[in-house]
Amino acid sequence: MNNQKIISREEWLEIRKAHLEKEKAFTLQKDQLSRDRRELPWVRVEKGYVFDGPNGKETLEELFEGRSQLIVYHFMFGPNEKEGCKSCSFWADNFNGAIVHLNQRDITMIAVSKAGLSTLEEYKKRMGWGFKWVSSFSNDFNRDYKVSFTKDEIKKGEKLYNFGTVEAPHDEAHGISVFYKNEQGEVFHTYSTYSRGLDIVNGAYQYMDLVPKGRGNEEDLPYSMAWLQRHDSYN
């Protein structure tokens, strides 16, 4: 940072305006990518899923809560774990303020994990979160949407995660899946994203990308998010 070039305000403005053109081009590309995403074909969900939630047993259809669109955050939290994944916790810190606005646009957003409901509720209370979180312990939802893997699959190094592009990282992984329910009550899977595809929905990372040091020294760490702690665990 000490070697950064220092220039006049006038010179800076010219360079900044040139960079603005790149930002505008990126924005237009992103807009087109979003349109392309919305035009992807859908897959009808034929299997019935029942989750354990704060309202008791709930089907996938009931999780829409009267809206037509459902966003599911696949939160890494296995049935034998006492704490949720710290990276997923970082993402979940972005949920509370956004969900009320999503609801106004016909969108319900929830988190789903394999851990038992009581464990999820205890951790949610510790973190101070208010979003709805349900357990998929008793169904195949995590397996079907490729965020849960067996020890044998991991041992074999099978490429199962992120649409078969990388090896299963752990027995649980993170992701986002989107569903639509029509007026007849039919549910369709419209989209899923994994790995770096979740980057764009983490507001804190987007702010980091604006500042001179960016995301810090992540590339020099044992793994990129080694610096991260749960929000109640920083010194």
Side-chain angles (χ1 to χ4, degrees):
M1 298 302 296
N2 293 330
N3 297 322
Q4 200 71 17
K5 185 178 180 180
I6 307 300
I7 60 176
S8 69
R9 171 62 62 179
E10 291 74 18
E11 291 175 296
W12 180 90
L13 187 58
E14 289 304 310
I15 294 172
R16 176 64 187 93
K17 287 165 69 175
H19 187 71
L20 177 61
E21 292 306 310
K22 295 180 181 180
E23 291 177 331
K24 288 181 176 180
F26 172 74
T27 298
L28 293 176
Q29 285 183 318
K30 181 178 176 298
D31 289 344
Q32 183 59 55
L33 187 64
S34 296
R35 285 191 290 269
D36 293 343
R37 182 186 302 117
R38 291 192 292 271
E39 293 174 2
L40 291 172
W42 299 350
V43 176
R44 182 173 178 178
V45 179
E46 303 284 358
K47 185 181 291 188
Y49 299 100
V50 179
F51 302 85
D52 293 312
N55 300 321
K57 300 288 185 181
E58 295 184 83
T59 64
L60 179 62
E61 291 83 355
E62 290 171 329
L63 294 180
F64 283 78
E65 297 184 336
R67 301 181 182 91
S68 69
Q69 300 168 106
L70 175 68
I71 296 174
V72 171
Y73 183 88
H74 300 289
F75 195 118
M76 292 174 62
F77 200 157
N80 298 317
E81 297 171 337
K82 301 300 182 183
E83 295 182 303
C85 162
K86 66 177 183 178
S87 297
C88 286
S89 298
F90 182 29
W91 261 254
D93 284 335
N94 292 266
F95 294 171
N96 274 0
I99 289 177
V100 64
H101 301 291
L102 296 178
N103 292 165
Q104 299 304 309
R105 304 304 295 166
D106 194 29
I107 303 166
T108 296
M109 182 175 176
I110 64 168
V112 174
S113 299
K114 287 292 287 184
L117 180 63
S118 61
T119 303
L120 300 179
E121 289 291 319
E122 182 178 350
Y123 187 64
K124 185 171 78 169
K125 181 178 179 181
R126 169 188 159 185
M127 293 288 100
W129 296 328
F131 57 84
K132 187 171 183 177
W133 201 349
V134 300
S135 171
S136 59
F137 178 77
S138 59
N139 65 44
D140 296 326
F141 187 76
N142 282 38
R143 291 281 295 167
D144 292 345
Y145 291 93
K146 308 303 181 185
V147 290
S148 285
F149 311 98
T150 66
K151 288 181 172 56
D152 189 50
E153 289 169 340
I154 296 169
K155 184 178 180 180
K156 290 180 180 177
E158 297 182 25
K159 290 188 175 181
L160 299 171
Y161 185 56
N162 201 17
F163 305 104
T165 60
V166 295
E167 295 178 7
H170 307 284
D171 55 350
E172 298 292 320
H174 66 299
I176 289 175
S177 291
V178 181
F179 301 88
Y180 179 82
K181 185 170 70 171
N182 65 19
E183 293 180 357
Q184 291 73 43
E186 299 170 312
V187 175
F188 303 87
H189 175 219
T190 69
Y191 182 72
S192 284
T193 189
Y194 307 95
S195 192
R196 286 294 301 274
L198 275 67
D199 228 38
I200 198 168
V201 298
N202 188 311
Y205 261 150
Q206 305 311 307
Y207 282 115
M208 289 181 203
D209 288 342
L210 299 178
V211 300
K213 291 185 178 180
R215 301 188 185 190
N217 63 336
E218 283 198 340
E219 66 276 5
D220 300 325
L221 298 174
Y223 59 95
S224 63
M225 302 186 78
W227 62 271
L228 182 69
Q229 300 294 326
R230 295 168 183 84
H231 66 239
D232 64 348
S233 300
Y234 289 111
N235 293 327

